[in-house]
Amino acid sequence: MTTPLTARQRLSELHRYAAVSGEDFTHQNLTSARPNQLRFARCSFAGADLRHATLEGCWFKFCDFTGADLRGASLRGAVLAGCNLRDADLRDTDLTGARLSSVNTGIPRLGPTDITGARFEGTSLRNVQADAVVGWPPALTHSE
């Protein structure tokens, strides 16, 4: 009898640019996960442990990262559109070249990315593009 794959193993086995839709990773241990530039839509990572995960080039649309632990993760070149990152821990995360934006779901634009209460100490924000992001702290610049 084979042991079922963990969420981290399943994600690492998907091919580049594979679509992952509606998956629930709430409170899962995804430490050091290395998905291969996957496309996530309407997935929940609420309270998930994503410390030191390599999420480079991944695309997240309407995903929930409420309270997720992303300390030390790499989100270089990632796209977060219409995502909820309220109270997420992004300390020491590499967001170089990442795009945080809303999703145009009609008029007016709906589906903003919300980072209210997120922690950013030590986060690399070089070349980050933040368009209509709710909760963007005034002390953060878009190109540190």
Side-chain angles (χ1 to χ4, degrees), residues 108-129:
R109 285 171 63 121
L110 302 172
T113 290
D114 188 347
I115 62 168
T116 304
R119 298 189 62 184
F120 287 94
E121 297 90 358
T123 298
S124 175
L125 298 169
R126 282 183 300 275
N127 300 318
V128 167
Q129 297 173 31

Side-chain angles (χ1 to χ4, degrees), residues 37-97:
Q37 297 180 348
L38 301 181
R39 305 298 187 237
F40 295 92
R42 298 189 185 280
C43 293
S44 176
F45 296 92
D49 186 349
L50 289 153
R51 287 174 298 149
H52 303 287
T54 302
L55 305 168
E56 296 174 358
C58 286
W59 184 82
F60 301 93
K61 182 177 178 184
F62 294 125
C63 291
D64 184 5
F65 290 91
T66 304
D69 188 348
L70 290 144
R71 286 177 292 162
S74 179
L75 286 109
R76 295 174 68 92
V79 175
L80 296 119
C83 293
N84 184 352
L85 287 112
R86 292 178 72 89
D87 300 319
D89 192 343
L90 295 157
R91 289 177 291 170
D92 301 316
T93 298
D94 187 354
L95 288 170
T96 300

Side-chain angles (χ1 to χ4, degrees), residues 18-42:
V20 179
S21 183
E23 292 273 345
D24 187 359
F25 301 104
T26 301
H27 298 292
Q28 297 226 7
N29 179 359
L30 298 170
T31 305
S32 300
R34 300 179 66 86
N36 199 3
Q37 297 180 348
L38 301 181
R39 305 298 187 237
F40 295 92
R42 298 189 185 280

Side-chain angles (χ1 to χ4, degrees), residues 4-27:
L5 296 175
T6 65
R8 183 176 345 142
Q9 290 168 329
R10 282 188 300 117
L11 291 175
S12 68
E13 289 189 359
L14 293 172
H15 63 84
R16 180 178 269 177
Y17 308 123
V20 179
S21 183
E23 292 273 345
D24 187 359
F25 301 104
T26 301
H27 298 292

